Amino acid sequence: MGDVAQDEVRFYSNAEDYWKEVPPTVDGMLGGYGSISSIDINGSKAFLRKFLGEGEGKTGTGCALDCGAGIGRITKHLLLPLFKTVDLVDVTQEFLDKARNYLGGEGKRVGNYFCSGLQDFVPESGRYDVIWIQWVIGHLTDEHLVEFLQRCQKALQPNGLIIIKDNVSYEGVVPDESDPSEKTTCPEKRCEDSREEAKSSAHELFTRCAGHPSS
């Protein structure tokens, strides 16, 4: 096994080990900042509602996918109130087990609980109106992120959306040494030194996801 392959195995193994030590609670899912949950959900709901509805160009409300779902915080408070069915995917089985209780009666509208890392997950073709990816892409390498988003494209209904909600910082980053998603240099360099470099990196990634040359 080459150095890059070994780095990838270590990268994903470290992430799995990290999440196994996180308590299956809202506070655990948010790194000790459970108090921001309602603010986060309200902002996401206001954003997402702009795209949903009936008519030309509108996104349907049949089925959504919650990526890196954890115990189902986003599923419960954002996606289930807006969609008929929601699927959850997460790398930690304990979180998915907890989700079945955390979601309560509304959990009957969950279609599937998938235990998988996103680097290996293949969503069903044409199933989803919205694929919601929040605070999880840091656990993927560049190549696996591109490949995952390309698979997500194939999983969308007409007018479907892939929504990525994540943190962006151009300077003054204080890394969390305990969280492997902060280690964005393994195995490819993704930690940018300036605003322009960050923009260039994001443009290149999403251009590749769309299947176009980057230059």
Side-chain angles (χ1 to χ4, degrees):
M1 184 181 295
D3 290 342
V4 172
Q6 287 180 333
D7 284 347
E8 285 189 356
V9 170
R10 189 179 306 113
F11 182 66
Y12 290 116
S13 176
N14 288 345
E16 290 187 33
D17 290 344
Y18 168 80
W19 286 109
K20 285 177 181 177
E21 298 300 317
V22 172
T25 63
V26 170
D27 209 44
M29 299 300 96
L30 294 174
Y33 293 94
S35 60
I36 72 166
S37 183
S38 61
I39 297 172
D40 167 60
I41 294 294
N42 290 341
S44 295
K45 193 173 291 185
F47 173 81
L48 184 53
R49 278 177 167 158
K50 297 176 183 178
F51 303 98
L52 304 180
E54 299 179 357
E56 185 176 357
K58 287 291 187 177
T59 296
T61 57
C63 188
L65 175 65
D66 185 358
C67 298
I71 65 170
R73 181 186 70 92
I74 291 169
T75 290
K76 180 173 183 175
H77 297 292
L78 174 66
L79 300 178
L80 280 175
L82 297 176
F83 294 88
K84 296 180 179 67
T85 304
V86 179
D87 290 348
L88 289 75
V89 57
D90 196 273
V91 73
T92 305
Q93 184 63 52
E94 182 184 5
F95 294 165
L96 296 174
D97 293 341
K98 177 70 174 182
R100 295 176 187 272
N101 292 324
Y102 175 73
L103 295 174
E106 289 301 297
K108 64 188 178 185
R109 293 193 290 113
V110 170
N112 298 282
Y113 295 87
F114 297 110
C115 187
S116 174
L118 299 185
Q119 71 275 13
D120 300 317
F121 183 64
V122 181
E124 180 182 336
S125 178
R127 176 169 173 81
Y128 300 106
D129 294 293
V130 166
I131 297 177
W132 190 273
I133 308 169
Q134 181 166 340
W135 292 334
V136 69
I137 62 172
H139 289 290
L140 294 174
T141 67
D142 282 355
E143 288 301 321
H144 286 159
L145 173 58
V146 169
E147 292 168 3
F148 175 62
L149 291 176
Q150 288 172 336
R151 295 195 296 273
C152 285
Q153 283 183 315
K154 298 176 182 178
L156 292 176
Q157 286 276 350
N159 298 321
L161 297 173
I162 299 170
I163 298 176
I164 298 175
K165 183 174 182 178
D166 220 300
N167 300 327
V168 177
S169 180
Y170 300 113
E171 58 185 12
V173 177
V174 179
D176 180 353
E177 295 296 333
S178 68
D179 185 348
S181 71
E182 301 287 347
K183 304 292 188 180
T184 53
T185 57
C186 176
E188 293 109 349
K189 184 178 182 294
R190 231 177 27 239
C191 182
E192 307 302 338
D193 298 323
S194 72
R195 184 179 299 269
E196 290 306 314
E197 288 178 8
K199 288 181 180 178
S200 176
S201 177
H203 179 267
E204 180 179 356
L205 278 174
F206 287 103
T207 300
R208 288 163 61 194
C209 291
H212 302 305
S214 58
S215 59

